[in-house]
């Protein structure tokens, strides 16, 4: 069983940065793909970024060049560095993990709010 706990969300102004963390337990991370999704009010959950067990990354077009996903397998932690934040980045951000980038395990989410 994989448990995921996100942290690092908060309220920032447009143009500022945040770093989200996702602490995993219950498994060896190095065999899993991981990623970040987000869900804004009234919208469906959408992909932000994924990283395979080999380190291959994939980003949504809306965050390319601004967000960076990384992982620290010995620390069992996934990160999302978010720079140049925009009000449209406001959402609950979810950490996920799975045997492929079709993620199956999810955290409870952390709120990110970007004011204009």
């Amino acid at each position: 069983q994989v448990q995921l706990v996100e942290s690092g969300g908060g309220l920032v102004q447009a143009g500022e940065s945040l770093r989200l963390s996702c602490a995993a337990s219950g498994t060896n991370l190095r065999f899993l793909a991981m990623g970040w999704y987000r869900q804004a009010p009234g919208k469906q959950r959408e992909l932000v970024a994924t990283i395979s067990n080999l380190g291959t990354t994939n980003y949504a077009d809306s965050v390319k060049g601004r967000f960076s996903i990384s992982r620290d397998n010995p620390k069992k932690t996934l990160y999302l560095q978010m720079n140049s934040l925009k009000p449209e980045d406001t959402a609950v951000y979810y950490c996920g993990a799975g045997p492929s980038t079709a993620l199956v395990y999810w955290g409870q989410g952390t709120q990110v709010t970007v004011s204009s």
Side-chain angles (χ1 to χ4, degrees):
Q1 186 71 17
V2 178
Q3 292 86 40
L4 303 170
V5 179
E6 303 95 337
S7 62
L11 171 64
V12 296
Q13 292 188 335
E16 294 184 339
S17 299
L18 276 176
R19 188 175 80 156
L20 304 183
S21 298
C22 173
S25 60
T27 188
N28 190 330
L29 268 194
R30 65 189 179 102
F31 299 115
L32 296 180
M34 300 191 76
W36 293 95
Y37 277 64
R38 67 187 181 187
Q39 187 167 18
K43 295 187 176 180
Q44 290 189 330
R45 190 176 295 194
E46 64 176 6
L47 167 74
V48 177
T50 60
I51 183 167
S52 74
N53 62 319
L54 298 178
T56 302
T57 58
N58 178 54
Y59 295 92
D61 288 343
S62 59
V63 306
K64 281 181 182 177
R66 299 189 298 122
F67 290 12
S68 177
I69 188 171
S70 61
R71 60 193 295 165
D72 186 331
N73 290 339
K75 291 185 177 180
K76 295 188 175 183
T77 304
L78 177 73
Y79 301 101
L80 184 69
Q81 178 66 43
M82 305 186 293
N83 299 326
S84 302
L85 282 160
K86 304 176 180 180
E88 51 264 43
D89 294 318
T90 294
V92 177
Y93 284 70
Y94 296 92
C95 168
S100 73
T101 51
L103 308 177
V104 296
Y105 304 106
W106 296 97
Q108 293 300 305
T110 185
Q111 176 71 46
V112 172
T113 303
V114 185
S115 64
S116 58

